[in-house]
């Protein structure tokens, strides 16, 4: 496995591999079983697997959120070795956003609802960093988890609108045995808060926003939104706060019918 910390190193590592298929798994680190599922799919399907490892400051609105985001590069590189990743790209913020950087990508309508309403600028940061990664890696396939359903919609719109020939491969949400969607943020939940957070998957499983909201309110959770989102496929999506931790999840409506 080759670890690249600059754009120049990444391009040099990819040069000899351009004849084969390339799969990209963008991550912000704190890797878990959901990331492993993406890496394994990329390994099965592509000649070269590239994983990015970058906590993108442009998609965080609150300083406390990015400051509290878990980081463990040694662990993440170990996971990459285990999953037979070929290239890991670990840039600094100044490598991706050098002095004078002023070009941003915004998917205006899809990026303004749900998460976009509660986290202004979030999807601008997501779209910009992903387009930069797409341009640098030039993958045939990029891998994402269904848990971030709105992000997938935003990125598919970006690919379609800008005529990029990249396939988005979307894998099902990976859940713990108790039903909670696996997330890097789960590590910040106390035992009591995790028990309260289990109301989220249970509420979404009803497939009904009114019933789901009632269950979340009954659990004493702070609810940012519960809504049916007309994505592909349509989902019932929600965002909640449990103590200081914000969690999102969604369930395709076809699974609740």
């Amino acid at each position: 496995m080759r670890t690249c910390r600059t754009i120049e190193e990444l391009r040099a590592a990819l040069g000899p591999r351009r004849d084969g298929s390339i799969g990209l798994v963008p991550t912000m680190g704190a890797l878990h079983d959901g990331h492993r599922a993406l890496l394994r799919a990329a390994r099965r399907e592509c000649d070269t697997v590239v994983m990015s490892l970058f906590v993108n400051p442009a998609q965080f609105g609150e300083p406390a959120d990015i400051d509290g985001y878990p980081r463990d590069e040694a662990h993440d590189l170990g996971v990459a070795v285990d999953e037979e990743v070929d290239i890991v790209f670990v840039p600094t913020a100044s490598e991706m956003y050098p002095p004078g950087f002023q070009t941003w990508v915004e998917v205006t309508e899809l990026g303004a609802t749900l998460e976009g309403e509660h986290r202004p600028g979030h999807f601008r940061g997501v779209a910009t960093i992903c387009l930069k990664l797409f341009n640098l890696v030039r993958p045939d396939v990029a891998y994402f988890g269904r848990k971030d359903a709105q992000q997938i919609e935003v990125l598919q719109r970006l690919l379609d609108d800008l005529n990029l020939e990249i396939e988005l491969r979307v894998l099902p949400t990976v859940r713990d045995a108790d039903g909670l969607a696996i997330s890097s943020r789960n590590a910040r939940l106390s035992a009591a808060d995790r028990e309260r957070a289990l109301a989220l998957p249970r509420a979404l499983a009803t497939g009904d926003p009114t019933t789901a909201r009632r269950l979340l309110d009954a659990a004493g959770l702070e609810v940012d939104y519960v809504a049916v989102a007309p994505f592909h496929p349509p989902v019932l999506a929600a965002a909640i706060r449990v103590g200081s931790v914000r969690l999102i999840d969604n369930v395709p409506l076809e699974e609740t019918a």
Side-chain angles (χ1 to χ4, degrees):
M1 186 181 78
R2 183 165 176 180
T3 301
C4 302
R5 298 188 181 274
T6 68
I7 290 169
E8 182 180 4
E9 290 173 353
L10 176 64
R11 287 174 168 156
L14 282 168
R17 297 175 174 270
R18 290 290 180 198
D19 289 340
S21 60
I22 297 174
L24 170 65
V25 181
T27 84
M28 294 204 301
L31 301 185
H32 48 62
D33 285 348
H35 295 110
R36 286 185 182 269
L38 300 177
L39 294 170
R40 289 170 186 170
R43 181 71 284 162
R44 287 193 305 270
E45 299 168 4
C46 300
D47 298 314
T48 295
V49 177
V50 180
M51 183 185 86
S52 63
L53 182 57
F54 179 60
V55 180
N56 177 29
Q59 67 190 69
F60 288 86
E62 302 173 8
D65 201 14
I66 189 170
D67 291 344
Y69 197 85
R71 294 170 173 84
D72 189 343
E73 184 179 306
H75 163 78
D76 295 336
L77 293 178
V79 170
V81 170
D82 290 345
E83 302 301 337
E84 301 180 347
V85 173
D86 298 296
I87 299 169
V88 181
F89 182 41
V90 194
T92 61
S94 60
E95 183 73 9
M96 299 306 284
Y97 302 109
F101 185 91
Q102 54 188 290
T103 303
W104 301 95
V105 182
E106 193 153 13
V107 180
T108 53
E109 294 179 21
L110 276 171
T113 62
L114 301 178
E115 285 298 288
E117 181 179 350
H118 290 272
R119 302 177 68 187
H122 170 70
F123 285 118
R124 184 181 81 153
V126 169
T128 301
I129 196 62
C130 284
L131 182 58
K132 285 176 70 74
L133 290 170
F134 293 160
N135 285 335
L136 290 169
V137 177
R138 288 157 38 204
D140 298 281
V141 189
Y143 294 79
F144 293 89
R146 174 60 63 188
K147 187 175 79 70
D148 297 305
Q150 188 174 8
Q151 174 176 276
I152 293 163
E153 292 291 309
V154 166
L155 293 178
Q156 188 62 63
R157 184 79 264 163
L158 179 152
L159 295 177
D160 292 344
D161 288 351
L162 300 183
N163 306 112
L164 297 178
E165 295 182 342
I166 299 171
E167 176 190 352
L168 285 192
R169 181 90 152 77
V170 181
L171 273 65
T173 300
V174 177
R175 299 182 180 277
D176 281 327
D178 58 11
L180 192 65
I182 294 179
S183 167
S184 304
R185 299 174 189 270
N186 292 357
R188 295 164 54 191
L189 293 170
S190 67
D193 282 345
R194 183 184 175 93
E195 187 63 31
R196 293 170 61 214
L198 293 178
L200 177 57
R202 293 168 185 160
L204 293 177
T206 68
D208 177 71
T210 302
T211 304
R213 180 65 186 243
R214 186 168 62 248
L215 291 174
L216 294 172
D217 288 342
L221 300 173
E222 182 181 345
V223 180
D224 279 356
Y225 61 82
V226 183
V228 172
F231 298 157
H232 301 85
V235 301
L236 179 59
I240 63 166
R241 297 177 187 270
V242 191
S244 63
V245 181
R246 187 174 186 274
L247 300 176
I248 64 171
D249 198 359
N250 69 87
V251 174
L253 292 178
E254 61 194 24
E255 295 180 8
T256 65

